[in-house]
């Protein structure tokens, strides 16, 4: 039988010198680096933001062990399917931390999840977040969650729960990471499906607001590392008068409301859609294709944002590398019945979207090809 031995630090005279707070047997959670009082203050600070996102289906309030949400939204559907997505913001957070600006990355978090489930045609219903942080600061946490709340309002989903986890000794005090989880619903008979895509279908692109939340490891390496805070805040003509910091922190666009409006107004006109995230156009548009066709993208048919040009120039990327790294100005691409493309564009315009016809579907093998080599930056408005 193994004997259990208990060592009292205060009695172990031959042991290493312990910190002063270990001279007694009791060690509090706060002494270990976790401030539960600050956590409670942070929860209180975000309650208003959370309540502002609520939909009628939300049951109860934050603070319980689980978020409750009625599935009444599915009651009139023929065959309702729940659709879920999870994602994070990535190293764009390092730019936010350097800038001390935390109120937009929450929008990015919701966008990455909500836009993904939109690719099935789903309506986002509710969202949960997870924030891991080195040292909890209620004011900074309130900024982050305010952004998450704003993202939820843009997506039309409710923020029904989350977690704030303090990680002393694992993360630096000012460091934090975000992840999120979104659940939506779609009627199977109305679901967008790559299997429906046909040769000669039209590609309609919706503009991005910049880099969105992808490619930031490269962007930071060529645009941020070695720069002073002053250099990052200088307004630059090549960025349309924005500073590098502000251009890099422009939040990801959330396309849920305009696209859902079009799906309702133009039933069966949109075959599939692709959310252009990590991997750029090259490695995302193919995810919306069946095995017997390619997407032919015509370069020069949409404007590339100044920040994308700036980063690609700083990194000396050729067209091919740029198109598989960044969204290059297209945050979402819809694949549309060619006979109804005008109708879809009109509905998108009614919803406030600027659209671009950026190509078509051709015979192939589920790949993305490009026409007009060398014309990526050559867009001219009509």
């Amino acid at each position: 039988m193994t004997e259990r031995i208990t060592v009292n630090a205060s009695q172990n005279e031959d042991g290493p010198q312990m910190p002063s707070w270990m001279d007694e047997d009791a060690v509090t959670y706060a002494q270990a680096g976790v401030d539960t009082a600050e956590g409670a203050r942070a929860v209180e600070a975000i309650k208003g933001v959370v309540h502002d996102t609520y939909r009628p289906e939300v049951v109860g309030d934050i603070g319980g062990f689980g978020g409750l949400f009625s599935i009444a939204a599915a009651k009139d559907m023929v065959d309702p399917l729940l659709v879920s997505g999870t994602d994070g913001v990535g190293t764009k957070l390092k730019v936010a931390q350097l800038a001390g600006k935390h109120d937009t990355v929450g929008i990015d978090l919701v966008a990455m999840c909500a836009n993904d489930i939109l690719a099935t045609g789903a309506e986002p219903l509710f969202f949960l977040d997870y924030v891991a942080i080195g040292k909890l600061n209620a004011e900074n946490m309130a900024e982050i969650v305010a952004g998450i709340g704003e993202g939820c309002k843009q997506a039309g989903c409710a923020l029904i729960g989350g977690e704030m986890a303090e990680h002393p000794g694992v993360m630096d005090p000012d460091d934090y990471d975000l992840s999120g989880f979104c659940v939506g619903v779609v009627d199977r008979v109305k679901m967008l499906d790559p299997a429906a895509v046909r040769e000669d279908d039209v590609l309609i692109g919706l503009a991005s607001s910049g880099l969105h939340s992808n490619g930031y490891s490269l962007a930071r390496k060529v645009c941020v590392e070695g720069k002073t805070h002053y250099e990052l805040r200088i307004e630059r003509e090549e960025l349309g008068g924005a500073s590098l910091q502000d251009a890099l922190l422009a939040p990801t666009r959330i396309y849920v409301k305009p696209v859902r409006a079009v799906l309702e107004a133009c039933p069966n006109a949109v075959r599939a859609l692709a959310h252009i995230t990590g991997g750029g156009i090259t490695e995302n548009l193919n995810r919306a294709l069946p095995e017997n066709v390619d997407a032919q993208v015509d370069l020069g048919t949409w404007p590339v944002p100044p920040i994308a040009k700036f980063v690609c120039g700083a990194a000396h990327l050729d067209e091919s590398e740029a198109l598989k790294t960044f969204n290059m100005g297209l945050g979402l691409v819809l694949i549309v019945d060619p006979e109804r493309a005008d109708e879809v564009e009109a509905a998108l315009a009614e919803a406030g979207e600027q659209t671009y016809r950026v190509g078509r579907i051709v015979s192939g093998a589920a790949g993305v090809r490009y026409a007009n080599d060398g014309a990526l930056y050559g867009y001219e408005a009509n």
Side-chain angles (χ1 to χ4, degrees):
M1 178 178 179
T2 303
E3 182 180 1
R4 182 179 177 188
I5 302 173
T6 302
V7 177
N8 185 318
S10 63
Q11 296 173 347
N12 188 6
E13 296 178 358
D14 296 330
Q17 184 65 38
M18 297 296 182
S20 60
W21 53 264
M22 290 187 66
D23 287 345
E24 300 178 357
D25 290 334
V27 179
T28 68
Y29 209 10
Q31 287 170 324
V34 177
D35 189 343
T36 56
E38 186 72 0
R41 198 162 75 88
V43 171
E44 192 63 33
I46 66 174
K47 278 187 175 179
V49 171
V50 173
H51 292 161
D52 284 346
T53 72
Y54 278 3
R55 298 167 43 129
E57 301 96 332
V58 175
V59 178
D61 202 353
I62 60 171
F65 289 102
L68 300 174
F69 193 92
S70 168
I71 58 171
K75 67 181 179 181
D76 295 325
M77 293 184 177
V78 175
D79 185 7
L81 301 176
L82 293 178
V83 186
S84 60
T86 186
D87 212 330
V89 180
T91 61
K92 185 174 185 177
L93 294 177
K94 289 297 184 183
V95 182
Q97 291 161 18
L98 181 65
K101 182 176 173 58
H102 312 289
D103 59 344
T104 60
V105 289
I107 300 174
D108 291 297
L109 180 64
V110 178
M112 296 303 290
C113 299
N115 287 340
D116 271 356
I117 70 170
L118 177 64
T120 65
E123 175 191 4
L125 298 176
F126 60 84
F127 190 86
L128 294 94
D129 66 85
Y130 176 84
V131 185
I133 193 164
K135 181 64 177 176
L136 191 61
N137 177 289
E139 284 74 23
N140 288 352
M141 187 61 64
E143 281 190 60
I144 294 168
V145 178
I148 296 172
E150 174 59 27
C152 286
K153 286 191 283 186
Q154 291 182 25
C157 61
L159 178 57
I160 65 169
E163 171 71 1
M164 294 178 291
E166 200 166 15
H167 290 339
V170 176
M171 304 175 74
D172 290 337
D174 294 331
D175 195 14
Y176 63 86
D177 196 13
L178 304 179
S179 60
F181 180 81
C182 189
V183 172
V185 66
V186 64
D187 198 337
R188 189 193 294 265
V189 298
K190 296 181 179 180
M191 184 176 69
L192 301 182
D193 187 353
V197 173
R198 299 287 182 266
E199 198 171 333
D200 294 326
D201 282 350
V202 173
L203 305 179
I204 297 177
L206 303 186
S208 70
S209 54
L211 302 186
H212 283 184
S213 298
N214 300 104
Y216 275 80
S217 293
L218 174 58
R220 288 189 304 109
K221 185 174 182 63
V222 299
C223 295
V224 176
E225 289 182 8
K227 299 288 194 305
T228 65
H229 282 204
Y230 172 74
E231 289 175 297
L232 294 176
R233 288 170 169 79
I234 296 173
E235 294 180 352
R236 296 174 176 268
E237 183 178 349
E238 63 269 42
L239 294 177
S243 68
L244 187 53
Q245 171 185 294
D246 288 345
L248 288 171
L249 287 177
T252 305
R253 290 198 60 213
I254 296 175
Y255 299 96
V256 171
K257 290 182 178 178
V259 170
R260 289 274 309 158
V262 169
L263 296 180
E264 291 294 324
C266 310
N268 303 315
V270 180
R271 316 269 207 206
L273 66 83
H275 180 204
I276 310 302
T277 57
I281 299 170
T282 305
E283 296 180 5
N284 282 285
L285 185 50
N286 61 335
R287 298 165 65 184
L289 302 176
E291 294 183 354
N292 63 329
V293 298
D294 283 353
Q296 178 178 294
V297 178
D298 299 326
L299 301 180
T301 54
W302 75 89
V304 176
I307 185 61
K309 293 180 183 179
F310 186 90
V311 173
C312 291
H316 304 290
L317 296 186
D318 61 26
E319 278 188 348
S320 175
E321 196 67 25
L323 289 161
K324 67 179 183 181
T325 304
F326 300 110
N327 65 59
M328 299 309 293
L330 297 180
L332 208 70
V333 177
L334 287 70
I335 304 176
V336 178
D337 180 342
E339 295 184 1
R340 302 184 65 187
D342 289 345
E343 178 188 349
V344 169
E345 287 174 327
L348 285 165
E350 181 70 21
E353 288 291 328
Q354 172 68 60
T355 63
Y356 305 94
R357 290 204 189 187
V358 299
R360 62 191 182 93
I361 300 298
V362 298
S363 179
V368 178
R369 64 176 77 168
Y370 296 98
N372 306 330
D373 286 350
L376 178 60
Y377 304 109
Y379 172 79
E380 294 183 7
N382 294 329

